[in-house]
C-alpha cells in the first residue's frame, strides 16, 4: 500500500511540469512565428527569467547534513512568481516590408492577449502578436536527495515527459547537485548548521518543425546555506537562509515567417548571472518535511514543497 | 505511522489535483500570420523606357494556404490588412547599371472591375543595387485601400481577385537598340492576418 502511494506521488510530480509548461511551449511557437531573432528575445525574456528563477530554487531547505548514515528523501518542489507590470511589454521593432520602421511597446509572452496594431505610411498597418496574458508562473519538479557520506549528500532532479503530441514535444529535466556540511568541522558548539553546495541542471521544452528542442536551457547555482533546528512539539522547526550565485542560459530554435517565408531562427539569450538570497522555514516531521521560502534575486520568487524521507532525523 | 503517511500523501494528491484543475485558464490569444504573394517578371531586351507588366492574384487560395500552413482557417481570422510591398532584381547582367522608376497599380477584377490605383511607388532605383535584395517600397494610400477592401471581402467569404500592373516610365541612361535593357525581377506583396485562438494557459497563482 505504501509503495502505491509513493508511485502516485512520483507520477504527480512528473506529470505536473507538463501541465504547466507544455501548453506554453505549444502556444509560443505560434506567437513567435511573426518574429525574427531580435524581437523574439524581448518577447520571451519574462519566460527566460521565470525558468532561471524556478530552476535555481528548492535545492536546499536545511544546512544540516549528518556526517554519516542513510539520508533519503523524495521531494516535490513548487516554485512560483508573479510577473511585474514592466514585464508585460517590450520595445519591439517592425520587421519585413513595413515602412517606416517603428518601435512600439508590444506585448511580451506574458503580456496582453490582444495584438498591437500600428499605422505606417500609405495606409500600411503592422501587427505585433499578443501574449498569453499570464499573471504568474509556476513550476513543479521532483527531486531525490541521497546521503550522507563524510557530511556530503547528492541531489538529483529528473523528469522526462513524452506528451505524445508532435506539436508540443517533450519536456526533459536533469539536475545533479551536491552539498557538504561545513559546520561539522567547527564542533558541536557552533551555533548554526552551515553547508556549501552546487547544482547543475538541463531543461528542454517543446519541439520545433525540425524535431529539435524548441527551448534548450541550463542552470547552475553555487552557494552557502545556514540553518538552525529548534524543537517544535513532536517536530523540529528550522529557519534557514542562503546566499548563492546563479547562472542561467537559454536558447531558442524555431521557425519564423516574419519575412514572408519560413526560415529557422536560433536565438541565444544572454547568460543571466545573479546573486540570490533565500530565507525560509522548514518543518521536520519524522518521515516528512514541509518548507516554504522566498528567493530574492534579479527575478524574485517563492517556493514551497514536501519531502518524504528521513530528513527530520 | 502508516495512516499518517497515507493522510499526508492523500492530502498532497488532493492539493495537486485541485491545483491542476484551477491553474489552467481558458484564454483567447491573438496570433499574427504573415501572408505573402510574389510574382516574377522578365523584362526585355527592350530599347524603350516605358514598359508594362501585369499579374493577377486570387486572394482566397493565397491566404487559405498561408493560414493552413500556420494551422488556421478563414473562420479563425479577426482582421487582415496590407503590411507592405517590396521588389528585387533577380537576374541582371550588363556592363553598366540602369536606374528605373515607376509605380505598381492595383485594381479589382472580380465582379465589376474597379479602376487602377497606385499602390507601390519606386523612384530611381538602381537595378544593380536591387540585385539579390528584397527592397521595401512605400505604399500609396489609394491602392492600399483597394487591397484592404479586398481582404475585408475575403473575410466575408468572398474570393476577390486583384490585378497588379507595373508601369515603368523612366530609365536612366535611356536604353537604345544597341544597348537594350534586360533584367528579371520580383515583386512581393505582404499582408498581416490576425487570428484568434482559444488556448489553455497556466496561471497558477
Amino acid at each position: 500500500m505504501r509503495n502505491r502511494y509513493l508511485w502516485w506521488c512520483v507520477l504527480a510530480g512528473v506529470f505536473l511540469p507538463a501541465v504547466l509548461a507544455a501548453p506554453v511551449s505549444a502556444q509560443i511557437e505560434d506567437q513567435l512565428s511573426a518574429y525574427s531573432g531580435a524581437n523574439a528575445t524581448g518577447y520571451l525574456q519574462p519566460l527566460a527569467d521565470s525558468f532561471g528563477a524556478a530552476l535555481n530554487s528548492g535545492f536546499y531547505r536545511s544546512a544540516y547534513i549528518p556526517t554519516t548514515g542513510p539520508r533519503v528523501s523524495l521531494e516535490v518542489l513548487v516554485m512560483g512568481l508573479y510577473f511585474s507590470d514592466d514585464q508585460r511589454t517590450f520595445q519591439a521593432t517592425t520587421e519585413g516590408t513595413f515602412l517606416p520602421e517603428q518601435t512600439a511597446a508590444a506585448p511580451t509572452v506574458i503580456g496582453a492577449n490582444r495584438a498591437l496594431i500600428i499605422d505606417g505610411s500609405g495606409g500600411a498597418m503592422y501587427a505585433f502578436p499578443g501574449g498569453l496574458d499570464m499573471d504568474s508562473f509556476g513550476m513543479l519538479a521532483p527531486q531525490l536527495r541521497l546521503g550522507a557520506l563524510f557530511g556530503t549528500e547528492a541531489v538529483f532532479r529528473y523528469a522526462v515527459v513524452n506528451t505524445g503530441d508532435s506539436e508540443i514535444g517533450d519536456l526533459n529535466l536533469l539536475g545533479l547537485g551536491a552539498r557538504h556540511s561545513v559546520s561539522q568541522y567547527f564542533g558541536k558548539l557552533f551555533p548554526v548548521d552551515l553547508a556549501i553546495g552546487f547544482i547543475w541542471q538541463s531543461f528542454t521544452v517543446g519541439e520545433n518543425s525540425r524535431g529539435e528542442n524548441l527551448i534548450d536551457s541550463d542552470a547552475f547555482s553555487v552557494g552557502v546555506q545556514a540553518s538552525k533546528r529548534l524543537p517544535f512539539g513532536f517536530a523540529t522547526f528550522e529557519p534557514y537562509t542562503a546566499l548563492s550565485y546563479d547562472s542561467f542560459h537559454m536558447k531558442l530554435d524555431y521557425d519564423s515567417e516574419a519575412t514572408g517565408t519560413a526560415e529557422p531562427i536560433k536565438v541565444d539569450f544572454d547568460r543571466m548571472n545573479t546573486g540570490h538570497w533565500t530565507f525560509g522555514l522548514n518543518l521536520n516531521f519524522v518521515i516528512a518535511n514541509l518548507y516554504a521560502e522566498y528567493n530574492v534575486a534579479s527575478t524574485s520568487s517563492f517556493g514551497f514543497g514536501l519531502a518524504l524521507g528521513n530528513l527530520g532525523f | 505511522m502508516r495512516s499518517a503517511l497515507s493522510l499526508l500523501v492523500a492530502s498532497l494528491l488532493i492539493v495537486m489535483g485541485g491545483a491542476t484543475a484551477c491553474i489552467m485558464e481558458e484564454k483567447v490569444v491573438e496570433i499574427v500570420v504573415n501572408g505573402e504573394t510574389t510574382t516574377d517578371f522578365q523584362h526585355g531586351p527592350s530599347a524603350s523606357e516605358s514598359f508594362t507588366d501585369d499579374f493577377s492574384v486570387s486572394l482566397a487560395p493565397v491566404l487559405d494556404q498561408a493560414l493552413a500552413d500556420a494551422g488556421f482557417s478563414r473562420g479563425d481570422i479577426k482582421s487582415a490588412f496590407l503590411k507592405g510591398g517590396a521588389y528585387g532584381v533577380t537576374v541582371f547582367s550588363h556592363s553598366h547599371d540602369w536606374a528605373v522608376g515607376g509605380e505598381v497599380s492595383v485594381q479589382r477584377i472580380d465582379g465589376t472591375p474597379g479602376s487602377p490605383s497606385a499602390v507601390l511607388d519606386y523612384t530611381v532605383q538602381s537595378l544593380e543595387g536591387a540585385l539579390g535584395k528584397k527592397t521595401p517600397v512605400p505604399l500609396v494610400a489609394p491602392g492600399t485601400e483597394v487591397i484592404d477592401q479586398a481582404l475585408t471581402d475575403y473575410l466575408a467569404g468572398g474570393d476577390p481577385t486583384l490585378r497588379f500592373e507595373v508601369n515603368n516610365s523612366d530609365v536612366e541612361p535611356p536604353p537604345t537598340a544597341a544597348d537594350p535593357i534586360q533584367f528579371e525581377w520580383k515583386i512581393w506583396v505582404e499582408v498581416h492576418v490576425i487570428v484568434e485562438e482559444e488556448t489553455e494557459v497556466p496561471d497558477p497563482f
Side-chain angles (χ1 to χ4, degrees):
Chain A
M1 182 62 78
R2 186 179 294 189
N3 285 341
R4 189 173 147 203
Y5 280 129
L6 194 62
W7 277 113
W8 270 111
C9 204
V10 172
L11 286 174
V14 169
F15 178 67
L16 268 182
V19 173
L20 296 173
V24 174
S25 70
Q27 190 62 44
I28 60 175
E29 196 168 15
D30 286 340
Q31 305 290 86
L32 278 174
S33 66
Y35 280 146
S36 66
N39 282 330
T41 305
Y43 185 76
L44 278 187
Q45 193 61 53
L47 200 62
D49 294 341
S50 304
F51 281 175
L55 291 174
N56 284 322
S57 67
F59 172 41
Y60 42 77
R61 63 197 60 187
S62 166
Y64 173 72
I65 305 171
T67 307
T68 56
R71 179 176 163 85
V72 180
S73 75
L74 182 63
E75 305 168 4
V76 177
L77 317 170
V78 180
M79 170 273 160
L81 59 83
Y82 289 99
F83 295 112
S84 60
D85 284 345
D86 60 3
Q87 288 180 290
R88 296 182 70 81
T89 58
F90 76 108
Q91 291 301 306
T93 303
T94 56
E95 301 182 32
T97 56
F98 179 82
L99 291 175
E101 183 180 278
Q102 296 178 46
T103 298
T108 62
V109 65
I110 59 102
N113 57 337
R114 299 294 174 198
L116 174 71
I117 301 171
I118 60 173
D119 295 320
S121 63
M125 290 192 281
Y126 187 95
F128 296 98
L132 300 179
D133 194 20
M134 297 165 65
D135 295 318
S136 63
F137 176 85
M139 187 180 247
L140 186 150
Q143 182 167 278
L144 179 66
R145 193 177 301 272
L146 293 174
L149 190 63
F150 304 113
T152 304
E153 67 177 17
V155 176
F156 304 95
R157 290 180 181 177
Y158 182 70
V160 177
V161 179
N162 187 334
T163 62
D165 185 329
S166 60
E167 186 185 0
I168 292 174
D170 299 341
L171 289 99
N172 292 278
L173 170 66
L174 173 65
L176 301 171
R179 295 198 311 144
H180 182 71
S181 170
V182 176
S183 51
Q184 65 176 323
Y185 303 112
F186 300 155
K188 291 190 175 180
L189 292 178
F190 196 70
V192 296
D193 292 310
L194 275 180
I196 55 172
F198 75 92
I199 186 167
W200 167 88
Q201 294 166 90
S202 168
F203 183 49
T204 63
V205 183
E207 191 175 89
N208 61 26
S209 62
R210 282 157 277 121
E212 295 162 344
N213 295 324
L214 178 65
I215 294 173
D216 196 337
S217 65
D218 66 85
F220 182 78
S221 179
V222 59
V224 56
Q225 304 99 44
S227 68
K228 177 71 175 177
R229 287 194 168 182
L230 303 165
F232 185 69
F234 60 92
T236 57
F237 174 74
E238 189 174 17
Y240 64 95
T241 188
L243 287 174
S244 56
Y245 179 77
D246 295 350
S247 178
F248 177 75
H249 182 228
M250 186 169 111
K251 290 186 290 187
L252 183 68
D253 191 347
Y254 69 102
D255 294 320
S256 168
E257 296 192 4
T259 57
T261 52
E263 58 177 325
I265 299 284
K266 292 179 187 285
V267 179
D268 206 343
F269 286 72
D270 291 337
R271 181 170 284 279
M272 290 181 284
N273 300 305
T274 178
H276 178 171
W277 174 43
T278 302
F279 56 93
L281 292 173
N282 188 18
L283 200 55
N284 298 301
F285 300 97
V286 177
I287 48 109
N289 165 288
L290 294 167
Y291 83 98
E293 67 180 29
Y294 191 77
N295 298 284
V296 180
S298 60
T299 299
S300 295
S301 63
F302 56 90
F304 56 90
L306 178 144
L308 297 176
N310 64 344
L311 294 184
F313 291 108
Chain B
M1 175 71 74
R2 186 166 172 166
S3 59
L5 176 63
S6 302
L7 184 64
L8 197 62
V9 174
S11 302
L12 176 66
L13 291 176
I14 289 169
V15 169
M16 284 180 159
T20 306
C22 70
I23 59 179
M24 304 303 289
E25 284 188 22
E26 186 87 14
K27 302 207 169 155
V28 176
V29 178
E30 291 186 355
I31 294 167
V32 177
V33 176
N34 205 77
E36 175 190 87
T37 183
T38 65
T39 297
D40 293 293
F41 298 99
Q42 181 173 348
H43 179 69
S46 169
S48 171
E49 290 186 50
S50 301
F51 53 86
T52 300
D53 288 307
D54 67 275
F55 68 100
S56 298
V57 176
S58 178
L59 278 187
V62 172
L63 291 176
D64 287 347
Q65 186 59 52
L67 289 166
D69 289 345
F72 300 104
S73 64
R74 197 186 303 201
D76 299 318
I77 298 178
K78 181 188 176 191
S79 61
F81 39 79
L82 185 60
K83 169 189 153 191
Y87 65 86
V89 175
T90 53
V91 177
F92 180 74
S93 178
H94 275 281
S95 57
H96 64 86
D97 194 10
W98 306 87
V100 299
E103 66 170 29
V104 178
S105 64
V106 62
Q107 70 179 119
R108 289 283 289 270
I109 57 171
D110 56 300
T112 306
S115 55
S117 302
V119 65
L120 302 177
D121 196 356
Y122 60 99
T123 53
V124 197
Q125 172 60 54
S126 156
L127 293 181
E128 231 169 23
L131 184 62
K133 294 179 182 173
K134 182 179 180 180
T135 306
V137 191
L139 297 182
V140 182
T144 303
E145 289 168 10
V146 171
I147 294 175
D148 283 346
Q149 183 57 52
L151 290 167
T152 301
D153 294 344
Y154 164 76
L155 294 186
D159 181 14
T161 303
L162 298 169
R163 177 176 177 272
F164 291 86
E165 187 174 271
V166 180
N167 300 299
N168 197 83
S169 55
D170 192 27
V171 177
E172 189 62 40
T176 62
D179 184 21
I181 186 170
Q182 182 176 13
F183 62 99
E184 292 177 25
W185 61 309
K186 173 182 273 192
I187 283 183
W188 288 262
V189 176
E190 293 184 0
V191 299
H192 257 174
V193 179
I194 298 177
V195 296
E196 291 183 321
E197 186 175 51
E198 283 189 10
T199 186
E200 286 200 325
V201 175
D203 206 344
F205 301 108

